Amino acid sequence: MSNTKTIKVDYLARVEGEGALFIKIKDNKLEECQLKIFEPPRFFEAFLRGRQFTEAPDIAARICGICPIAYIMSSIHAMEQILGIEVGGQLRELRRLIYCGEWIESHVLHVFMLHAPDFLGYQDAIQLAGDKPELVKMALRLKKAGNEIVRLLGGREIHPINNKVGGFYKVPDKKDFSNLLEELKWARDASIEAVKVANSLPCPDFDQDYEFVSLHHPDEYPFNEGRIISNRGLDIDIKDYENHFEEIHVAHSNALQSVHKNHGNYLVGPLARYNLNYNQLSDLTKQVAVDNGYDRQVINPFQSIVVRSLETVYAFDEAIRIIENYEKPAKASVEYEIQAGVGYGCTEAPRGSLYHRYEIDEQGIIKTAKIVPPTAQNQSRIEEDLSNFIPKFIHLDDDDLTWKCEQAVRNYDPCISCATHFLKLDIQRN
Amino acid sequence: MEKSILVIGVGSPYRSDDSVGLSVLKTLRMGPPEQVHLMERSGEGSDIMDVWKKYQHVFLVDAVQSGKAPGTIHRIFANQEKVPTDFFHYSTHAFGVAEAVEMARVLGELPKSLIIYGIEGEQFGIGKDISKHVQISADKVTGMLLKDIQKILTGNPTYA
């Protein structure tokens, strides 16, 4: 007698996207696993057409409430490429600094408020706070330090407004950083403890064979600039992204799934960055990695929680380096003249590479816009991981299996992970 | 400090009725009573927990989707009652408004008074327009808020 059951995980979210996880099991074998995503970037691509190029950063920032800096910076870099300007020196450093702030905010939120409760068997972070209030208070303070960086440079914590094509509207004085610097030094120490906490969490064995794709820069851990590389020999300029990657429309999802042409699916995000850029981490971060047994390739997606924590240490360390060496630049931005052209931007959002392409005319009006968010790039790979993961736990009852799947989906911190709290379990049996 | 008042409007301007909290804030901005601070937020929980720390009296306006008729106004006295976690279906993350309130309660960090106005939304698709019933309720909530604030300022708060 055949026994078919279907597990449907519906989830909705405000800005970052909407999606559902659909799992069909027949006679205790996985028959189908589909991740369905609806993504706002498609709407925004249309919305951007006809707007002035200077509006792109502020509009793109609204695509994601968690990583607006990534959207702002990918669009700004694309526009600057069209205009033929380079933003260097302290302005470039300030851009790295605000990126540190965003990584801290996003990673700390994900590690402690969303992911750690899964590993510890808590329903949510509120239960965790009940049992371990000091740990949660520490996490909230770490995240606030990230908020402060974004507020100081971005003008406000959410939907920052101070970044623009050419640099910033206003740059801080050195003294503006003095209070923040002390807090960041506390936070850097605390984040090292946070790595130990993440590393102590019980983690399932689940090594996978990935093509990792990330930005790579010879001298620095990648935020804003670099070439796109992979562990399988890819090494390209960002303007060639669309020659090597394509988006395929699959019937079950409104989102386009990205694949590496002739290679298949791939993974972007913390694991990819870490494995491809370990040498570019700061000495301190590498030492913390060694102390925790992470001076190695990490191919278990459940260990991404530790890698996010290590990237948080790096972000604090890098922020402190930038602030300690900061000298206020004479000008807050670089001047330019409008010219028509096509430009490309790719930066490392907390959850992976975020690619933008724009075409503008001689008046600076946006003719076309293309945005490929990290979650779309990871979608196919997440499905494959879940297809490998579910059979290991197929004996569990539906509640436990659903819970395991939620935890697995959160490994990738997809924009859609936001609403896995609002699960609707729909089981059909024949 | 004693009478410091904060109104938080939560929402995304590009998700139709989800922006109703921002709409209320926009109206209040036209002539905010003195001593009242207005803040627009995305709804990420830990951020909200942080911004209300400095204030004694906090109001939060957000769209909700609990199955009631569009435009239904929910008024929650968060110091006394639990916020249903499935209330703010459109919260940015699993750690959203409801979670922020409950976590602040666990950690002993709730403001002295926290009143949440939830306005039942109708459309949450991509777009910038607010549904008619929802907008009517937004105007009502603005009036209710102004009365609440007036009572605090005259030393007779609705609830504190």
Side-chain angles (χ1 to χ4, degrees):
Chain A
M1 196 180 87
S2 91
N3 185 350
T4 305
K5 67 178 177 181
T6 310
I7 297 179
K8 235 172 87 185
V9 181
D10 287 323
Y11 37 125
L12 298 166
R14 178 148 38 209
V15 184
E16 292 78 3
E18 297 172 0
L21 178 62
F22 177 81
I23 300 160
K24 194 172 177 187
I25 296 165
K26 191 175 182 184
D27 296 333
N28 262 343
K29 282 194 179 142
L30 179 68
E31 223 175 43
E32 239 178 304
C33 173
Q34 294 177 345
L35 185 64
K36 301 179 177 189
I37 303 177
F38 172 81
E39 281 178 288
R42 306 296 154 217
F43 160 80
F44 279 89
E45 286 173 353
F47 194 60
L48 282 157
R49 285 197 292 273
R51 300 290 190 127
Q52 264 290 327
F53 75 102
T54 48
E55 293 181 88
D58 292 336
I59 293 171
R62 296 287 188 163
I63 294 176
C64 180
I66 300 296
C67 49
I69 297 298
Y71 280 90
I72 288 170
M73 291 315 304
S74 282
S75 64
I76 283 177
H77 281 288
M79 297 306 178
E80 289 175 353
Q81 194 178 65
I82 297 173
L83 303 169
I85 53 173
E86 268 192 38
V87 176
Q90 291 293 329
L91 293 177
R92 185 179 185 279
E93 291 284 85
L94 289 177
R95 285 178 165 179
R96 279 187 71 77
L97 180 59
I98 196 168
Y99 231 112
C100 291
E102 177 155 289
W103 275 24
I104 292 163
E105 286 179 315
S106 178
H107 279 357
V108 173
L109 175 74
H110 187 265
V111 167
F112 288 101
M113 300 298 148
L114 301 176
H115 214 189
D118 288 338
F119 286 85
L120 292 167
Y122 293 107
Q123 184 67 32
D124 53 34
I126 299 159
Q127 273 190 6
L128 177 64
D131 275 5
K132 300 179 191 294
E134 293 312 314
L135 177 67
V136 171
K137 282 182 181 175
M138 178 192 78
L140 289 169
R141 189 173 163 189
L142 285 176
K143 183 174 177 291
K144 194 183 174 195
N147 289 5
E148 282 303 307
I149 295 174
V150 174
R151 188 190 59 75
L152 211 151
L153 289 176
R156 51 188 187 184
E157 294 96 331
I158 61 153
H159 307 310
I161 46 169
N162 191 32
N163 300 70
K164 67 170 187 171
V165 177
F168 292 84
Y169 287 100
K170 196 179 164 197
V171 288
D173 291 320
K174 193 168 174 75
K175 65 176 168 49
D176 294 336
F177 288 114
S178 51
N179 290 339
L180 178 61
L181 187 59
E182 289 312 303
E183 182 65 6
L184 292 178
K185 286 180 177 170
W186 169 85
R188 180 171 61 185
D189 290 344
S191 69
I192 294 170
E193 294 305 308
V195 173
K196 290 182 195 163
V197 173
N199 196 23
S200 69
L201 299 172
C203 181
D205 290 329
F206 190 63
D207 285 357
Q208 298 294 297
D209 184 21
Y210 291 108
E211 177 166 23
F212 292 116
V213 173
S214 145
L215 278 186
H216 174 76
H217 188 285
D219 307 320
E220 59 195 22
Y221 203 70
F223 287 139
N224 280 312
E225 283 176 41
R227 291 172 67 78
I228 297 170
I229 68 164
S230 91
N231 55 331
R232 296 194 183 151
L234 182 78
D235 185 354
I236 58 168
D237 192 284
I238 61 167
K239 70 177 168 39
D240 296 322
Y241 174 86
E242 287 171 66
N243 294 330
H244 293 266
F245 297 92
E246 63 183 337
E247 294 179 292
I248 299 171
H249 196 269
V250 291
H252 64 260
S253 178
N254 282 318
L256 300 167
Q257 289 193 354
S258 297
V259 291
H260 183 187
K261 288 179 187 174
N262 305 318
H263 285 73
N265 62 36
Y266 60 101
L267 192 74
V268 298
L271 284 193
R273 275 195 300 264
Y274 189 78
N275 289 323
L276 295 170
N277 299 282
Y278 182 84
N279 289 336
Q280 282 71 31
L281 286 166
S282 64
D283 290 344
L284 174 74
T285 315
K286 281 186 207 162
Q287 187 56 52
V288 177
V290 170
D291 294 344
N292 285 275
Y294 268 73
D295 49 335
R296 58 177 171 86
Q297 292 285 295
V298 184
I299 54 173
N300 179 344
F302 288 89
Q303 293 173 336
S304 63
I305 192 167
V306 181
V307 171
R308 276 189 195 91
S309 305
L310 285 162
E311 284 196 334
T312 304
V313 174
Y314 174 77
F316 279 120
D317 201 28
E318 178 69 351
I320 290 166
R321 181 193 70 76
I322 292 167
I323 292 171
E324 284 182 335
N325 293 301
Y326 179 67
E327 296 296 335
K328 188 179 180 181
K331 284 188 174 177
S333 63
V334 174
E335 287 172 12
Y336 55 80
E337 286 186 9
I338 300 173
Q339 59 185 46
V342 178
Y344 308 85
C346 187
T347 70
E348 286 290 332
R351 40 194 66 64
S353 310
L354 170 62
Y355 171 81
H356 286 215
R357 167 173 54 77
Y358 297 92
E359 180 186 2
I360 66 171
D361 68 14
E362 55 280 3
Q363 268 82 48
I365 304 293
I366 297 170
K367 308 305 285 182
T368 60
K370 184 179 176 68
I371 296 171
V372 187
T375 299
Q377 299 186 70
N378 280 342
Q379 187 181 347
S380 172
R381 184 63 225 195
I382 298 171
E383 283 182 352
E384 186 178 334
D385 277 6
L386 286 167
S387 296
N388 295 336
F389 180 72
I390 291 162
K392 289 175 187 281
F393 297 96
I394 215 153
H395 58 280
L396 296 177
D397 67 33
D398 294 334
D399 283 351
D400 286 343
L401 182 59
T402 302
W403 188 61
K404 283 279 179 198
C405 288
E406 286 175 47
Q407 183 184 7
V409 168
R410 276 197 268 268
N411 285 332
Y412 315 92
D413 187 15
C415 291
I416 48 160
S417 74
C418 30
T420 47
H421 193 70
F422 306 116
L423 294 174
K424 285 176 191 160
L425 189 65
D426 182 8
I427 305 166
Q428 295 167 9
R429 294 176 195 276
N430 294 339
Chain B
M1 183 68 189
E2 184 55 34
K3 286 178 182 169
S4 67
I5 301 167
L6 171 68
V7 183
I8 306 171
V10 172
S12 161
Y14 296 110
R15 279 298 179 101
S16 307
D17 293 344
D18 188 54
S19 67
V20 68
L22 309 182
S23 170
V24 169
L25 222 60
K26 199 173 169 187
T27 313
L28 288 174
R29 273 212 180 93
M30 290 176 189
E34 279 182 31
Q35 302 179 51
V36 177
H37 291 89
L38 306 174
M39 278 190 200
E40 177 188 321
R41 314 310 285 184
S42 69
E44 192 273 294
S46 67
D47 169 60
I48 291 173
M49 283 176 69
D50 190 49
V51 296
W52 70 34
K53 268 186 183 165
K54 293 181 198 154
Y55 297 88
Q56 299 253 316
H57 303 275
V58 178
F59 299 90
L60 187 148
V61 190
D62 195 3
V64 303
Q65 199 195 32
S66 73
K68 296 266 169 56
T72 303
I73 296 168
H74 305 264
R75 194 179 194 208
I76 301 170
F77 296 96
N79 300 78
Q80 290 194 329
E81 52 188 312
K82 199 167 182 288
V83 181
T85 49
D86 58 352
F87 206 60
F88 298 96
H89 260 219
Y90 280 76
S91 284
T92 307
H93 263 236
F95 196 75
V97 171
E99 287 79 9
V101 173
E102 295 314 314
M103 181 169 279
R105 198 190 310 280
V106 168
L107 296 176
E109 293 181 357
L110 272 183
K112 185 178 167 191
S113 91
L114 171 61
I115 297 176
I116 297 175
Y117 282 98
I119 302 171
E120 199 78 29
E122 185 175 10
Q123 301 280 340
F124 288 91
I126 283 172
K128 294 179 83 172
D129 296 331
I130 295 176
S131 310
K132 190 180 160 194
H133 291 301
V134 179
Q135 188 57 57
I136 291 169
S137 297
D139 296 338
K140 278 188 198 160
V141 165
T142 307
M144 292 164 84
L145 267 169
L146 287 170
K147 275 187 193 163
D148 287 340
I149 290 165
Q150 200 52 42
K151 284 182 178 174
I152 292 169
L153 294 175
T154 54
N156 182 27
T158 309
Y159 173 78

